[in-house]
Amino acid sequence: MELPPALREAVEEVLAGVAVPALAEAAERLSQRYRAELRDGRWHVADELAAQAYLATRLPATYAAIRASLGQVALAAPDFAPQSLLDVGAGPGSAWWAASDCWPGLHGPRGSARLIEGSPAMRGIGQRLLALAAPDAGQIHWQAADLLAGLPDLAPHDLVTLAYVQGELASPAREALLARLWALTAGTLLLVEPGTPAGWQRLMQARSQLLAAGASLLAPCPHAADCPIVVPDWCHFSRKVARSRLHRLVKRADVPWEDEKFCYLAVARQPASAAITAKITARVLAAPHAASGRVSLKLCQSDGSAMLRLFTKREGEVYKSARRLDWGDGM
Ligand SMILES: C[S@@+](CC[C@H](N)C(=O)[O-])C[C@H]1O[C@@H](n2cnc3c(N)ncnc32)[C@H](O)[C@@H]1O
């Protein structure tokens, strides 16, 4: 997956002339802070250089994870066409770009978005990207707020997103924020986290909290029973993300792509479309293993169980459909 062309060009423009060694150092500092899940009261992205490092090394991956998750939301709820987005911990606007790619109405004159972000450096770079790549976008309001202090007064929005943020918040602020975000969700709430065991645990806590609050699961879970995945395993997905030349230089990497592992949870006020939920009876939880005449899929199933299922050529059409499935697909 790649960034939309206009956004890619804007990122290139913003990064033009930035010294690669400085960017590489800033990217390494950022990566260490994210990996350690440091919560020391300082912004991970505290200055312009750190924001530029985020654009070079993280935006393509977080965009890909959010876009892939929204793609599953669109399949589960084909009638959902959000006109308003509330994105919290917006960073450089990743979720707005992904959501308006999925639902172009968000980009149009009737679309509106409120992007809440604490770091001034992130807000600055996000505003610059929008001015360069989407000057004609509808009403987009950036708002400064500290999520730990609670959100300001806001109206409900059709789509609410919280992507790659929960790791920066300690409990119980995280639970309080989730409760508030659910109250502000008119249609769908999407949570995205890094595809690590810790990211998955946070989503499992959020899943319990949101189900208890009356939310309907849209994706990825094909059921609302207890999650059948048992530690040390964890539920996560993967997207191949194209690396720009600058990204390769900054990461000192030769390979022109990377695998972004992520987990997500999408819940809605309305239950998923009956027609579609009837079709999605399982979710593929790992890369398929295929051999001549057979394919093995790790599945989470609508009866609440998870299993490795082997499909063989003798099963005809069922085998042919299984063969076409990829990690993350519903079947
Ligand atoms: C890893 S970035 C994710 C950005 C974007 N959502 C994405 O997926 O690319 C987390 C963002 O949350 C913001 N953030 C973290 N804690 C916050 C807080 N307490 N108040 C406001 N923003 C916060 C950070 O400044 C950062 O921009």
Side-chain angles (χ1 to χ4, degrees):
M1 192 178 279
E2 284 195 77
L3 296 178
L7 177 58
R8 209 167 56 232
E9 282 163 25
V11 167
E12 276 168 22
E13 190 169 334
V14 168
L15 297 180
V18 182
V20 171
L23 208 51
E25 249 179 57
E28 180 52 31
R29 270 198 305 275
L30 197 56
S31 165
Q32 280 173 11
R33 287 184 67 86
Y34 282 134
R35 275 202 302 266
E37 297 196 345
L38 265 188
R39 295 181 197 123
D40 58 4
R42 291 162 46 207
W43 300 119
H44 292 333
V45 173
D47 56 28
E48 174 83 4
L49 188 60
Q52 287 163 334
Y54 192 90
L55 287 198
T57 61
R58 288 305 296 149
L59 171 64
T62 63
Y63 172 89
I66 301 167
R67 182 64 185 84
S69 310
L70 291 174
Q72 294 303 325
V73 169
L75 284 174
D79 297 337
F80 181 56
Q83 296 284 335
S84 60
L85 166 72
L86 169 64
D87 183 33
V88 174
S94 328
W96 183 84
W97 285 99
S100 55
D101 188 61
C102 194
W103 294 287
L106 271 173
H107 194 129
R110 289 176 55 210
S112 71
R114 185 161 294 272
L115 310 181
I116 299 198
E117 170 54 51
S119 153
M122 275 294 212
R123 283 198 309 279
I125 215 149
Q127 283 163 340
R128 210 169 145 206
L129 288 179
L130 277 167
L132 284 168
D136 57 339
Q139 309 159 43
I140 301 181
H141 303 285
W142 286 86
Q143 191 160 351
D146 181 356
L147 307 179
L148 294 173
L151 289 176
D153 269 352
L154 293 167
H157 287 65
D158 296 340
L159 175 63
V160 177
T161 51
L162 181 72
Y164 289 88
V165 178
Q166 293 188 66
E168 296 184 33
L169 309 174
S171 185
R174 207 163 54 223
E175 288 81 356
L177 177 64
L178 271 181
R180 188 76 205 289
L181 292 183
W182 177 239
L184 291 170
T185 301
T188 295
L189 169 63
L190 172 71
L191 311 175
V192 185
E193 284 287 288
T196 58
W200 176 65
Q201 289 292 352
R202 286 191 285 271
L203 284 190
M204 286 300 93
Q205 286 161 13
R207 185 181 187 269
S208 304
Q209 182 181 341
L210 291 165
L211 283 176
S216 296
L217 283 168
L218 277 185
C221 320
H223 60 83
D226 287 348
C227 177
I229 304 298
V230 179
V231 177
D233 195 6
W234 72 103
C235 176
H236 63 291
F237 303 94
S238 182
R239 265 289 171 284
K240 254 192 185 13
V241 181
R243 277 180 170 151
S244 65
R245 199 182 73 84
L246 183 63
H247 189 165
R248 293 203 295 276
L249 286 173
V250 167
K251 285 283 190 80
R252 298 181 190 95
D254 297 326
V255 192
W257 48 264
E258 65 184 357
D259 288 316
E260 174 66 7
K261 303 285 196 305
F262 65 99
C263 345
Y264 73 100
L265 183 76
V267 297
R269 290 253 162 231
Q270 307 298 330
S273 151
I276 299 293
T277 34
K279 274 192 221 152
I280 296 181
T281 56
R283 175 83 51 192
V284 182
L285 293 190
H289 286 293
S292 169
R294 57 180 54 206
V295 61
S296 158
L297 297 178
K298 180 181 176 187
L299 296 176
C300 184
Q301 308 187 110
S302 54
D303 64 3
S305 68
M307 67 178 301
L308 204 57
R309 188 166 161 208
L310 182 69
F311 297 84
T312 65
K313 216 169 184 170
R314 265 180 292 168
E315 290 170 90
E317 286 306 314
V318 176
Y319 165 75
K320 278 190 197 157
S321 314
R323 188 83 204 206
R324 281 194 289 269
L325 292 174
D326 202 353
W327 187 356
D329 286 346
M331 70 178 286

